[in-house]
Amino acid sequence: MMHLDTDVLVIGAGGAGMYAALEAARGGAKVILADRSLIGRGGATIMAQMTVAVAVGEEVPDHWEHHYADTLAAGRGLCDPALARLLCEEGPEVIREMDAWGVGWARENGHMKQAFAPGHDRPRCVYVDFLNTGPAVSKTLRSRLIRTPEIRRIGDLLVTELVLKAGECVGAVGLHIAGGQAVTISAASTIVATGGLTRLYQRNSASANMGGDGYALCLAAGAELIDMEFVQFFPIGHLAPRLIGMDPIMWDPFRYKLGGRLLNGEREEFVHKYGASDAGKYVVTRDLATYAIVKEVEAGRGSPHGGAWLSFEHCSEAELRAAAGPVIDRLAKNGIDLTKQAVEVAPIAHYHMGGVKADVSMRTKVPGLFVAGEAVGGANGANRLSGNAITEALVFGRKAGKSAAERALKHRASADPEAFTAARSRLAEGRGEPRSNPALLLEELQALMQKQVGPFRTGRGLQQALERIGSMQAGLPAMKPPAGKPYDTELVDWFDLRTMLEVARCVAASALSRTESRGAHQREDFPGMDPAWDRNQVIA
Ligand SMILES: Cc1cc2nc3c(=O)[nH]c(=O)nc-3n(C[C@H](O)[C@H](O)[C@H](O)COP(=O)(O)OP(=O)(O)OC[C@H]3O[C@@H](n4cnc5c(N)ncnc54)[C@H](O)[C@@H]3O)c2cc1C
């Protein structure tokens, strides 16, 4: 058993958590930055390969108010205006600070290059290069961390519970995966920056760490969740053949530049059957493309792995290379020659608009508990604009770090290991043999979420999902393995199952009660937006 003491505890070391830790240290606080994975190498930030939306106005004149107007329009009336404004207004500052720290935003004639992305009214997205935006952002923040002695970094620590004393968050307890022991950390301020929930779905762009941990941790501690029904699906996620070392949403820039023919399993174009005109260009919107692919698969006309074909066979090698440069070589290493073969694509869960409810200081309802990044809900409403998520991670991370340090310096608490006793024993206790296999239930949950709580939902399917989730939750206590073994994957799976079931319940329940279709939430039994639903749902 190990107990540590700090001013600010940051849980999750993606873009939001790393920026938060740096800002808290800059504000004079002693910081612990903990992650269940390697510091700065787990989660979504390092996987993002493309765009960062920000009104720096270097490509064409721009102002944060234009970015804000586009963000609100995409959010279909549900954005939290104060959070959306914060994202857009402070975006330029963090992007310039990252520039000063050497991230290497792509430049032309001395100015930052900015690319156009759907939903933005002008070219607004900075990037590093086609493949390296997320890795460069992560590396830049990691290099700053290493040079900041006030920040203690702890990898391999799966945080399982936030600890409360007299209604305030006073730290957390976690499982040290390599050692198998409980670690408790007391902190005057705790920041949850654990990213999104897309691992809940069978088809996703996630890493194994994106099961919505922060949502479950914060809800259990008394914070509120908002907009949980809004999960963004990306229509042409890579499905087959196997692709190593590339972002599964990589086909998007190809389609902006080259078009691309979307074909069903019979090699016929099909999106026109669903009310869109594609003309071989793949200009169809994300929601309609998702709908058309799902319906073709349901009708038995899917590609061999259950999606659609995306073909660039009409393009010459020179055109492909001019559009995608080094990506063509990475594809070749995966044995893919786009001039000779189509690839299979399918809708994949990609980002979560909902999350923990916070104010513009990133404070939650629970004193001492802050949130940052994708863990925060509300800024993007019912639908997120391309490129807004990394800006959100950095801006909200910086803000959370500042607020958390300010609080910690005022409320410097002395360590009180007693407050952690109950949480520590909950982590350690277990029923032992005979054991069931939580990994199998995780797979079942992912399939259930894909089928019943996926891009298209019905009241009946959502009810069925909730019933099954409830029965799986009821069986959880009897399955808990005791802690104590190093690298106990069964125990980690159990914690993940517990988290993912709780988060799945929140998503399905919110989706069931929203009897309309809006942005990323599409109900087949309630098509179209209903003005009566111009409001957010909050889970407490
Ligand atoms: C493949 C892919 C491509 C993307 N491309 C883009 C893009 O081009 N532009 C854009 O704007 N956005 C993009 N996004 C979205 C964007 O990357 C994310 O929204 C953003 O990076 C989230 O940052 P974060 O710091 O909030 O979370 P993350 O970067 O996901 O970090 C969360 C961290 O929390 C840790 N963690 C989780 N649970 C626990 C726990 N219980 N205990 C301890 N640690 C925990 C994880 O290990 C992880 O390191 C993409 C996402 C993906 C998956």
Side-chain angles (χ1 to χ4, degrees):
M1 201 278 285
M2 180 188 270
H3 184 79
L4 304 167
D5 182 20
T6 188
D7 295 327
V8 174
L9 166 64
V10 183
I11 305 167
M18 287 192 282
Y19 218 124
L22 290 167
E23 189 65 26
R26 186 153 56 183
K30 215 167 41 142
V31 181
I32 289 181
L33 173 61
D35 199 290
R36 58 180 294 173
S37 177
L38 297 171
I39 296 292
R41 294 178 193 272
T45 305
I46 200 164
M47 297 168 75
Q49 286 179 357
M50 287 175 263
T51 48
V52 183
V54 60
V56 283
E58 298 224 354
E59 187 81 28
V60 293
D62 201 355
H63 190 274
W64 68 262
E65 286 178 2
H66 303 307
H67 185 192
Y68 178 58
D70 289 345
T71 299
L72 294 186
R76 311 283 206 284
L78 291 192
C79 293
D80 176 323
L83 289 181
R85 176 179 171 152
L86 177 70
L87 188 164
C88 300
E89 192 174 5
E90 297 199 1
E93 271 175 43
V94 295
I95 277 356
R96 291 198 193 284
E97 183 156 61
M98 290 293 292
D99 195 39
W101 288 346
V103 70
W105 302 124
R107 286 191 138 78
E108 195 170 58
N109 304 325
H111 72 79
M112 284 183 212
K113 285 214 261 182
Q114 293 186 272
F116 185 81
H120 292 279
D121 70 346
R122 65 198 73 202
R124 181 171 289 138
C125 295
V126 299
Y127 55 96
V128 172
D129 71 29
F130 200 122
L131 295 172
N132 280 318
T133 297
V137 165
S138 295
K139 183 170 175 225
T140 304
L141 293 169
R142 284 199 314 268
S143 319
R144 302 286 311 174
L145 286 176
I146 296 167
R147 284 185 257 139
T148 310
E150 298 79 16
I151 302 175
R152 177 170 181 183
R153 307 182 307 276
I154 305 179
D156 242 358
L157 187 72
L158 171 70
V159 173
T160 55
E161 193 172 327
L162 298 173
V163 177
L164 300 175
K165 191 178 166 196
E168 295 195 9
C169 183
V170 293
V173 58
L175 170 74
H176 189 248
I177 297 172
Q181 324 88 346
V183 175
T184 55
I185 304 174
S186 64
S189 300
T190 298
I191 302 173
V192 168
T194 47
L197 55 59
T198 45
R199 190 187 170 203
L200 254 54
Y201 291 88
Q202 194 173 39
R203 284 188 181 149
N204 60 58
S205 61
S207 73
N209 311 330
M210 293 157 68
D213 296 23
Y215 308 137
L217 289 170
C218 290
L219 184 66
E224 293 170 325
L225 304 182
I226 185 167
D227 292 345
M228 290 302 285
E229 64 273 39
F230 294 109
V231 180
Q232 186 171 60
F233 278 79
F234 177 77
I236 51 166
H238 187 81
L239 184 59
R242 202 181 152 135
L243 190 55
I244 294 169
M246 307 209 53
D247 178 344
I249 67 157
M250 58 165 282
W251 298 115
D252 227 19
F254 274 80
R255 80 177 172 115
Y256 304 153
K257 292 183 180 172
L258 295 167
R261 298 176 68 217
L262 213 46
L263 308 170
N264 66 16
E266 291 157 15
R267 300 269 174 169
E268 290 165 348
E269 290 186 12
F270 58 92
V271 291
H272 59 278
K273 290 195 282 188
Y274 302 92
S277 164
D278 197 37
K281 281 279 178 203
Y282 189 49
V283 288
V284 61
T285 57
R286 283 184 177 184
D287 48 354
L288 217 146
T290 300
Y291 185 75
I293 295 171
V294 168
K295 290 293 155 192
E296 284 298 290
V297 173
E298 275 175 19
R301 293 188 294 272
S303 61
H305 292 86
W309 294 104
L310 179 65
S311 167
F312 297 94
E313 290 155 291
H314 55 287
C315 299
S316 67
E317 196 180 332
E319 282 174 297
L320 286 163
R321 192 162 280 283
V327 178
I328 301 301
D329 301 319
R330 289 238 188 141
L331 288 169
K333 282 193 184 141
N334 280 279
I336 298 173
D337 177 351
L338 293 177
T339 61
K340 297 199 173 63
Q341 72 190 100
V343 293
E344 285 182 71
V345 292
I348 55 173
H350 180 52
Y351 174 84
H352 185 225
M353 272 72 71
V356 183
K357 193 162 161 22
D359 66 11
V360 285
S361 303
M362 300 296 124
R363 280 188 301 237
T364 69
K365 217 179 129 191
V366 180
L369 179 59
F370 301 79
V371 272
E374 197 173 332
V376 180
N380 294 286
N383 195 29
R384 172 184 67 101
L385 280 184
S386 185
N388 264 9
I390 294 196
T391 315
E392 170 185 70
L394 303 179
V395 170
F396 290 6
R398 186 177 72 151
K399 185 62 82 178
K402 185 168 187 294
S403 308
E406 282 169 4
R407 182 182 197 275
L409 298 189
K410 277 192 220 133
H411 290 73
R412 245 177 191 146
S414 56
D416 176 11
E418 285 310 302
F420 294 80
T421 311
R424 195 185 311 117
S425 8
R426 276 193 288 277
L427 187 149
E429 75 196 1
R431 300 286 173 97
E433 308 293 343
R435 292 188 178 187
S436 54
N437 186 347
L440 281 179
L441 291 178
L442 277 173
E443 280 187 13
E444 184 191 334
L445 175 66
Q446 288 175 312
L448 181 74
M449 290 297 285
Q450 187 79 32
K451 187 158 183 269
Q452 311 287 27
V453 198
F456 297 96
R457 298 151 176 189
T458 63
R460 196 159 164 268
L462 291 166
Q463 279 285 11
Q464 284 172 359
L466 279 167
E467 277 160 29
R468 182 63 190 129
I469 289 167
S471 67
M472 285 199 250
Q473 281 188 306
L476 271 174
M479 292 169 57
K480 162 104 181 25
K485 280 201 312 194
Y487 294 108
D488 188 346
T489 51
E490 191 184 336
L491 180 60
V492 172
D493 285 342
W494 185 88
F495 279 118
D496 284 348
L497 180 63
R498 183 183 71 170
T499 296
M500 286 165 65
L501 283 169
E502 179 62 352
V503 178
R505 183 186 68 76
C506 295
V507 176
S510 305
L512 181 62
S513 42
R514 184 173 285 279
T515 47
E516 65 152 2
S517 291
R518 182 185 299 252
H521 168 70
Q522 294 292 318
R523 285 282 297 260
E524 295 204 72
D525 42 357
F526 291 97
M529 268 169 54
D530 177 352
W533 272 106
D534 281 351
R535 60 186 168 86
N536 306 90
Q537 298 193 84
V538 173
I539 298 179

